[in-house]
Amino acid sequence: MRNRATLTEVAERAGVSKATASKVLNGRPGVADETRRAVREAIAALEYVPSTGPRESPAPQTIHVVFDTLLNMYAVYVLDGILSGGKELGVEVVTSSLEAETPGDNDPIGADRIKEIAAQGAAGLVLVTAQLTTDEMDTCEQLGLPLVVIDPANPLDERVTSLGATNWAGGVQATRHLLDLGHTRIGFTGGPPGSLPARERLHGYREALESAGIEVDPALTGAGKFNAETGAALTDRMLDLADPPTAIFAASDSIAVGVIRTARQRGLEVPGDLSVVGFDDTYNAMWVEPPLTTVKQPLRQMGRVAARTVLDLAAGKVPDSHHVQLATSLVVRESTAPPRG
């Protein structure tokens, strides 16, 4: 006698997650027509009949979280928030990495990887600082796999829910702080040119300077990666200028570490000769010498909100906004001061 087909077998035959198969079975929204048809065909082929008898306790839902890299403090803070949110919501969290060296320095996740995650029965997928192509968005939609992206590396369309901080406003906050101290030669050491958060911080820097009536000097801006090496290289170049900066706004705390190290190697005092502002407010900011003035991103909160949002999408809830921005704030420590003379 043939065993009764299970929902897991239906999902596998249809090439979707168990959560998506359950959505179709229960008539919930948020599933593409093609996917809904594939699940119904699988139900018919397997002669699946939902059980009406006593049920075992359901297995915990699983959220898959894919980082472009885990080799930085930013990822640690975001992951801590996701794990905390998952615990509060009673879901398991599975993590993996695209193994980039720094955030924004990676290839897209790929449609095949998304299909694997869906086949494992994930309730939803959270991508962190990763690129996302149209093909990958289409794949998630076809599979009915809920998707949330934290700090997307590239602009996304309205099909995708994304979370981030107010990067532009943070760039304005950092630069205005330096302007208020009396600095007019302010450098910007940025992240990857293709990174959306890095570009938004650069635009905030430019806006603050232009609002103060100061022309942006291209020689005082540069891009690289979100690491100390970028900060070191760009600071070396800027300090060699005939009219070097008296302050530098770094697009991440990791970049700021490289800025401070290079300034010291050249015999400069921070903040006496060079003021430095970072972005993120991670562990680096508190323990670098001097303690770093920085723009605080609510990284843990971003992780918790992402976990809750992807489960809301899995339950068929429509988000109030497809792009949620959490407020940044300036944390003033000891790396900034008025310029000498």
Side-chain angles (χ1 to χ4, degrees), residues 13 18 34 45 53 73 123 125 146 150 210 260 271 282-283 339:
R13 185 180 182 97
K18 187 176 177 181
E34 182 181 345
M73 294 305 300
L125 170 63
I150 297 177
E210 290 168 358
I260 292 174
T282 57
Y283 187 84

Side-chain angles (χ1 to χ4, degrees), residues 84-109:
S84 176
K87 185 177 180 180
E88 292 169 3
L89 296 163
V91 300
E92 295 182 350
V93 177
V94 176
T95 63
S96 61
S97 168
L98 299 177
E99 300 179 355
E101 292 183 5
T102 58
D105 181 30
N106 64 280
D107 293 325
I109 181 174

Side-chain angles (χ1 to χ4, degrees), residues 15 26 50 61 107 145 207 209 240 287 310 316:
N26 291 291
Q61 288 184 294
D107 293 325
L145 182 65
E207 170 64 24
L209 289 180
D240 283 337
W287 291 101
V310 79

Side-chain angles (χ1 to χ4, degrees), residues 189-230:
T189 50
S195 165
L196 186 59
R199 293 203 304 271
E200 289 174 344
R201 293 167 200 177
L202 172 60
H203 293 160
Y205 157 84
R206 287 174 170 164
E207 170 64 24
L209 289 180
E210 290 168 358
S211 295
I214 298 173
E215 186 176 347
V216 178
D217 184 350
L220 292 181
T221 64
K225 298 180 179 181
F226 286 118
N227 58 23
E229 289 79 5
T230 287

